[in-house]
Amino acid sequence: MIDFQNVLDEIHNDLKLEKERGLIATYIPELKKQSNTSFGIYLNTISGENFYVGDWNLKFSIQSISKVLALSKAITFENKNIWKRVDVEPSGNPFNQLSLLELENGIPRNPLINTGAIVIADILVTHLKNPKEDFLNYVRHISGDQSINYNLEVAASEQKTGFNNYAAANLLKSYNNLNNDVDIVLDFYFHQCALEMNCKQLSNAFYLFANKGKCLNNNQHLTSSQVKRINAIMLTCGFYDEAGEFAFEVGLPGKSGVGGGIVALLPNDFVIVTWSPGLNPKGNSLIGMQALEKFTTKTNRSIF
Ligand code: GLN
């Protein structure tokens, strides 16, 4: 039996005083308010145990991690038709790179880079009656937590400065790969990224991806085949141009966000969330990646 609490405590102790902590994202002005010393980990096992350490209960902006939750909802509406509008190949490029979109005639490489996530947001805007409210309710439902909310200051902050995402949405529109108005789709997208959660809430939200589509409340949201595909996309595309490095170092499907969160999971076994706001040059949490590498090395648990 692995003493998970002891493993988390060791990792936290090893890394909490580390001087090299990466840089907080400043391109969304509201994210500058975070402290670079924050560091939390939460582990949820499928057998019903949980372990945590550090700042696991402080809320942070989940940013791109929300792209997986949006994809999981969009799949329930369109299933395989999604893949006519978004591909499933790693991009090998930063999350906000636009040039590939032109080369590939308006079909984004995958749903976890910004262009792909904007197409997914468009699908949700088409299918949801009250998109922002309904999506929030979905996230609350799968997490079993009604207190989860959007941080409206973060959404507004990104709305003011999101020129790259406006360019992306306009480009998609010019290729007829956006059915709704650019402003409406981006308003939804910026809110989705501005979901605020702590490590525990995020770990609970991702439980269904480790549990063949059944959330913590035992409701079946996705088929195991849909979950297989979403996990495959997380493994190959969840860390942008560092997806290879994450698979190499950590060996789990996962997703990062520029708020400094990372969620990773081992199907049928556990979900783990780390949060440390400092990012490496590829936009992934520096300490979070190190913590997860230590976790899978110490516990010998990975998909490989
Ligand atoms: N909202 C951010 C953006 O669109 C999300 C990026 C990220 O977390 N990598 O730029």
Side-chain angles (χ1 to χ4, degrees):
M1 267 295 273
I2 300 173
D3 183 345
F4 282 119
Q5 190 59 50
N6 191 41
V7 171
L8 295 194
D9 290 342
E10 271 178 25
I11 296 172
H12 191 259
N13 271 332
D14 278 359
L15 293 172
K16 72 177 182 218
L17 297 175
E18 174 66 50
K19 293 224 161 29
E20 196 64 55
R21 303 194 82 78
L23 295 175
I24 289 178
T26 52
Y27 79 99
I28 301 174
E30 199 65 19
L31 295 183
K32 282 188 216 160
K33 293 182 180 164
Q34 302 189 97
S35 155
N36 213 3
T37 55
S38 301
F39 178 33
I41 312 178
Y42 192 95
L43 172 72
N44 219 340
T45 69
I46 295 303
S47 57
E49 292 178 295
N50 37 67
F51 306 91
Y52 35 88
V53 67
D55 297 320
W56 63 273
N57 59 350
L58 293 187
K59 293 194 183 228
F60 60 92
S61 192
I62 74 165
Q63 290 298 320
S64 279
I65 298 172
S66 68
K67 292 168 179 170
V68 180
L69 302 176
L71 173 64
S72 72
K73 188 70 194 161
I75 276 185
T76 64
F77 292 123
E78 300 235 347
N79 207 8
K80 289 186 184 147
N81 282 338
I82 288 190
W83 312 122
K84 294 181 186 154
R85 295 179 60 188
V86 193
D87 207 347
V88 293
E89 292 299 336
S91 69
N93 274 300
F95 61 87
N96 55 3
Q97 183 86 15
L98 296 183
S99 51
L100 268 180
L101 192 60
E102 263 201 300
L103 283 177
E104 292 172 350
N105 300 318
I107 304 294
R109 267 287 165 114
N110 67 67
L112 303 185
I113 50 173
N114 288 9
T115 49
I118 292 170
V119 170
I120 300 297
D122 183 55
I123 291 172
L124 292 181
V125 167
T126 296
H127 287 280
L128 297 173
K129 211 159 161 219
N130 301 300
K132 287 187 276 188
E133 203 181 312
D134 296 352
F135 181 67
L136 180 60
N137 282 334
Y138 168 67
V139 175
R140 286 175 172 174
H141 184 68
I142 58 173
S143 319
D145 192 327
Q146 291 300 313
S147 70
I148 294 169
N149 232 320
Y150 298 121
N151 180 321
L152 299 180
E153 280 89 41
V154 172
S157 178
E158 193 170 2
Q159 201 131 26
K160 265 192 224 142
T161 54
F163 304 110
N164 180 281
N165 285 319
Y166 277 98
N170 278 296
L171 206 48
L172 288 165
K173 189 90 184 159
S174 77
Y175 283 104
N176 291 322
N177 201 0
L178 210 69
N179 296 329
N180 299 283
D181 284 352
V182 164
D183 286 330
I184 292 175
V185 175
L186 286 182
D187 181 56
F188 177 82
Y189 172 77
F190 293 141
H191 278 80
Q192 152 200 325
C193 290
L195 271 172
E196 205 169 52
M197 290 160 98
N198 63 31
C199 294
K200 175 182 177 176
Q201 292 167 326
L202 196 51
S203 166
N204 287 344
F206 273 68
Y207 186 90
L208 82 166
F209 302 110
N211 193 35
K212 298 193 173 82
K214 254 191 198 174
C215 73
L216 268 178
N217 298 326
N218 231 15
N219 292 319
Q220 190 84 42
H221 292 273
L222 299 168
T223 64
S224 45
S225 162
Q226 288 169 330
V227 166
K228 178 184 80 177
R229 300 198 194 292
I230 294 173
N231 286 339
I233 293 171
M234 279 198 257
L235 182 75
T236 52
C237 312
F239 297 83
Y240 321 111
D241 41 346
E242 210 169 33
E245 178 82 9
F246 192 81
F248 182 79
E249 297 285 347
V250 179
L252 295 172
K255 184 74 200 88
S256 65
V258 290
I262 299 181
V263 50
L265 61 99
L266 183 60
N268 310 317
D269 204 334
F270 63 80
V271 183
I272 185 165
V273 173
T274 60
W275 174 53
S276 170
L279 308 178
N280 67 19
K282 309 262 176 170
N284 299 312
S285 170
L286 184 73
I287 296 290
M289 277 188 62
Q290 290 174 8
L292 290 168
E293 187 280 324
K294 286 181 190 289
F295 180 79
T296 54
T297 301
K298 281 176 194 276
T299 60
N300 204 15
R301 301 261 175 114
S302 90
I303 61 167
F304 304 110

